[in-house]
Amino acid sequence: MKYKRILLKLSGEALMGSQNYGIDSERLSMYSNEISKVVNKGIQVAVVIGGGNIFRGMQAEKTGIDRVQGDYMGMLATVINGMALQGSLEAHGIYTRLMSGIKMDQICEPFIRRRAVRHLEKNRVVIFGAGTGNPYFTTDSAASLRAIEIEADVVLKGTRVDGVYNADPEKNPDATRFSSISYEEVYQKDLKVMDMTAFTLCKENDLPIIVFDMNTPGNLQRIVMGEEIGTLISM
Ligand code: UDP
């Protein structure tokens, strides 16, 4: 096993599947299945999930709601997704804890680092909801921050593309994929891996990132076993 403790970042948008809003039950179940395979191998798994399928802070400004208010709405959306994933993982027989960056005692625990680590040691999947708990951040930043706090070996950013390309592969058929790349080259080439705040946090703490296609069954397991899948970003 190459990695013992991972932080998996899933976008909220991916949860929509083929729908244009909300949560697609097939996609949700597929993600739980993928996660359960690695948990059953004894890998410690933490998850940060986005909220873009329900609400994004930026979206609020268009409707006349101020940005900060919108960001809090976005954070609540990530808790809804976290609860969905929790429910689905439990249906797959996996023990879970949902921890939130904003206190909501009736539905989840507050984020307490030492507790999160203890849950992981007991092989519970820990889902971090409500992002960082602060406006003006993204769930990518939450993923980097929590990964550093719990001393994860790697951030696995599950997307619908199979890695980082030198151009947008969905627009440019000649785009080529990097199998590995340094943090420095990502800056130089202005590649879109994560937003800069999130990315810099990883770089400064020497936390490797792997961008990979989460929609291909088995990929998550292959990565933790050490197969070179997607794009590895490291020193
Ligand atoms: N958000 C925030 N602080 C955080 C994390 C998220 O304010 O620490 C808000 C922000 O408005 C963001 C929304 O929550 O647009 C949903 O998260 P994100 O857009 O990162 O989700 P994804 O793109 O992964 O679906």
Side-chain angles (χ1 to χ4, degrees), residues 9-13 50-53 55-58 70-72 74-75 78 130-140 142:
K9 163 73 202 323
L10 298 173
S11 82
E13 229 163 61
N53 56 324
F55 200 83
R56 274 217 170 85
M58 300 282 198
D71 279 344
Y72 279 110
M75 285 184 258
T78 72
T132 63
N134 299 292
Y136 294 103
F137 287 93
T138 61
T139 47
D140 279 351

Coordinates of all heavy atoms in Angstrom, one line a residue, residues 9-13 50-53 55-58 70-72 74-75 78 130-140 142, ligand 1:
K9 N -10.8 14.6 -2.2 CA -11.6 15.8 -2.5 C -12.5 15.4 -3.7 O -12.1 15.1 -4.8 CB -10.7 17.0 -2.9 CG -11.4 18.1 -3.6 CD -12.4 18.9 -2.7 CE -13.5 19.7 -3.3 NZ -13.4 20.4 -4.5
L10 N -13.8 15.5 -3.4 CA -14.8 15.3 -4.5 C -15.6 16.6 -4.7 O -15.9 17.3 -3.7 CB -15.8 14.3 -4.0 CG -15.3 12.9 -3.8 CD1 -16.3 12.0 -3.2 CD2 -14.7 12.3 -5.1
S11 N -15.8 17.0 -5.9 CA -16.5 18.2 -6.2 C -18.0 17.9 -6.0 O -18.5 16.8 -6.2 CB -16.2 18.7 -7.6 OG -17.0 18.1 -8.5
G12 N -18.7 19.0 -5.6 CA -20.2 18.8 -5.5 C -20.8 18.6 -6.9 O -21.7 17.8 -7.0
E13 N -20.2 19.3 -7.8 CA -20.7 19.2 -9.2 C -20.8 17.8 -9.7 O -21.7 17.4 -10.4 CB -19.9 20.1 -10.1 CG -20.7 21.0 -11.0 CD -19.9 22.1 -11.6 OE1 -18.9 21.8 -12.3 OE2 -20.1 23.3 -11.3
G50 N -17.5 19.1 -2.1 CA -17.9 20.5 -2.5 C -19.4 20.7 -2.4 O -20.1 19.8 -1.9
G51 N -19.8 21.8 -2.9 CA -21.3 22.1 -2.8 C -21.8 22.7 -4.1 O -23.0 23.1 -4.1
G52 N -21.0 22.7 -5.1 CA -21.4 23.4 -6.4 C -22.6 22.8 -7.0 O -23.2 23.5 -7.8
N53 N -23.0 21.6 -6.7 CA -24.3 21.1 -7.2 C -25.5 21.7 -6.6 O -26.6 21.6 -7.1 CB -24.3 19.6 -7.0 CG -24.2 19.2 -5.6 OD1 -23.4 19.8 -4.8 ND2 -24.9 18.2 -5.1
F55 N -25.2 25.0 -4.3 CA -25.0 26.5 -4.3 C -23.6 26.9 -4.2 O -22.7 26.2 -3.6 CB -25.7 27.0 -3.0 CG -26.0 28.5 -3.1 CD1 -27.1 29.0 -3.7 CD2 -25.1 29.4 -2.6 CE1 -27.4 30.3 -3.8 CE2 -25.3 30.8 -2.7 CZ -26.5 31.2 -3.3
R56 N -23.3 28.0 -5.0 CA -21.9 28.5 -5.0 C -22.0 30.0 -4.5 O -22.9 30.7 -5.0 CB -21.3 28.5 -6.4 CG -20.7 27.3 -6.7 CD -19.4 27.5 -7.6 NE -18.7 26.3 -7.7 CZ -19.0 25.4 -8.6 NH1 -19.9 25.6 -9.5 NH2 -18.3 24.2 -8.6
G57 N -21.1 30.4 -3.7 CA -21.1 31.8 -3.2 C -21.2 32.8 -4.3 O -21.9 33.8 -4.2
M58 N -20.4 32.6 -5.4 CA -20.3 33.6 -6.5 C -21.7 33.8 -7.1 O -22.1 34.9 -7.5 CB -19.5 33.0 -7.6 CG -18.1 32.8 -7.2 SD -17.2 34.3 -7.1 CE -15.5 33.7 -7.2
G70 N -23.6 34.5 0.7 CA -23.6 33.4 -0.3 C -22.6 32.3 0.0 O -22.9 31.1 -0.2
D71 N -21.5 32.7 0.5 CA -20.4 31.7 0.9 C -20.9 30.8 2.0 O -20.7 29.6 2.0 CB -19.1 32.4 1.2 CG -18.3 32.8 0.0 OD1 -18.6 32.3 -1.1 OD2 -17.4 33.6 0.2
Y72 N -21.6 31.4 3.0 CA -22.1 30.6 4.0 C -23.2 29.6 3.5 O -23.3 28.4 3.9 CB -22.7 31.4 5.2 CG -21.6 31.9 6.1 CD1 -21.3 33.3 6.2 CD2 -20.9 31.0 6.9 CE1 -20.2 33.7 7.0 CE2 -19.9 31.5 7.8 CZ -19.6 32.8 7.8 OH -18.6 33.2 8.7
G74 N -23.2 28.4 0.6 CA -22.4 27.4 -0.1 C -21.8 26.3 0.9 O -21.8 25.1 0.6
M75 N -21.4 26.8 2.0 CA -20.8 25.9 3.0 C -21.9 25.0 3.5 O -21.7 23.8 3.8 CB -20.2 26.7 4.2 CG -18.9 27.3 3.8 SD -18.1 28.2 5.2 CE -18.4 29.9 4.8
T78 N -22.4 22.1 1.3 CA -21.4 21.0 1.4 C -21.8 20.0 2.6 O -21.5 18.9 2.5 CB -20.0 21.5 1.7 OG1 -19.9 22.0 3.0 CG2 -19.5 22.5 0.7
A130 N -18.8 21.8 5.6 CA -18.8 23.3 5.8 C -17.4 23.9 5.4 O -17.1 24.9 6.0 CB -19.2 23.6 7.2
G131 N -16.7 23.2 4.6 CA -15.4 23.8 4.1 C -14.5 24.1 5.2 O -14.4 23.4 6.2
T132 N -13.9 25.3 5.1 CA -13.0 25.8 6.2 C -13.8 26.5 7.3 O -13.3 26.8 8.4 CB -12.0 26.8 5.7 OG1 -12.8 28.0 5.2 CG2 -11.2 26.3 4.5
G133 N -15.1 26.7 7.1 CA -15.9 27.4 8.0 C -15.8 28.9 7.8 O -16.4 29.7 8.5
N134 N -15.1 29.3 6.8 CA -14.9 30.8 6.5 C -15.2 31.1 5.1 O -14.9 30.4 4.2 CB -13.4 31.2 6.7 CG -12.9 30.9 8.1 OD1 -13.4 31.6 9.0 ND2 -12.1 29.9 8.3
P135 N -15.9 32.3 4.9 CA -16.1 32.8 3.5 C -14.8 33.1 2.8 O -13.8 33.2 3.4 CB -17.0 34.0 3.8 CG -16.6 34.5 5.1 CD -16.3 33.3 5.9
Y136 N -15.0 33.3 1.5 CA -13.8 33.6 0.6 C -12.9 32.4 0.4 O -11.8 32.6 0.0 CB -13.1 34.9 1.1 CG -14.0 36.1 0.9 CD1 -14.6 36.7 2.0 CD2 -14.2 36.6 -0.3 CE1 -15.4 37.8 1.9 CE2 -15.0 37.7 -0.5 CZ -15.6 38.3 0.7 OH -16.5 39.4 0.5
F137 N -13.2 31.3 0.9 CA -12.4 30.1 0.6 C -13.2 29.1 -0.2 O -14.4 29.3 -0.4 CB -11.9 29.4 1.9 CG -10.9 30.2 2.6 CD1 -11.3 31.1 3.6 CD2 -9.6 30.1 2.3 CE1 -10.3 31.9 4.3 CE2 -8.6 30.8 3.0 CZ -9.0 31.8 3.9
T138 N -12.6 28.1 -0.7 CA -13.2 27.1 -1.5 C -13.1 25.7 -0.8 O -12.3 25.6 0.2 CB -12.6 26.9 -2.8 OG1 -11.2 26.5 -2.6 CG2 -12.6 28.2 -3.6
T139 N -13.7 24.7 -1.3 CA -13.6 23.4 -0.7 C -12.2 22.8 -1.0 O -11.8 21.9 -0.4 CB -14.7 22.5 -1.0 OG1 -15.0 22.5 -2.4 CG2 -16.0 22.8 -0.3
D140 N -11.6 23.3 -2.1 CA -10.2 22.9 -2.4 C -9.3 23.4 -1.2 O -8.4 22.6 -0.8 CB -9.7 23.4 -3.7 CG -10.2 22.6 -4.9 OD1 -10.8 21.5 -4.7 OD2 -10.0 23.0 -6.0
A142 N -10.2 23.9 1.8 CA -10.6 23.1 2.9 C -9.9 21.7 2.8 O -9.4 21.2 3.8 CB -12.1 22.9 3.0
Ligands
UDP1 N1 -17.2 27.9 0.7 C1 -16.7 28.9 1.5 N2 -15.7 28.5 2.3 C2 -15.1 27.3 2.3 C3 -15.6 26.3 1.4 C4 -16.7 26.7 0.6 O1 -17.2 30.0 1.5 O2 -14.1 27.1 3.1 C5 -18.4 28.2 -0.2 C6 -18.1 29.0 -1.5 O3 -19.1 29.9 -1.7 C7 -18.2 27.9 -2.5 C8 -19.3 27.0 -2.0 O4 -19.1 27.0 -0.6 O5 -18.5 28.4 -3.8 C9 -19.2 25.5 -2.5 O6 -17.9 25.0 -2.5 P1 -17.1 24.8 -3.9 O7 -17.5 25.8 -4.9 O8 -15.7 24.7 -3.5 O9 -17.6 23.4 -4.3 P2 -17.2 22.5 -5.6 O10 -16.8 23.4 -6.7 O11 -16.1 21.6 -5.2 O12 -18.5 21.8 -5.9

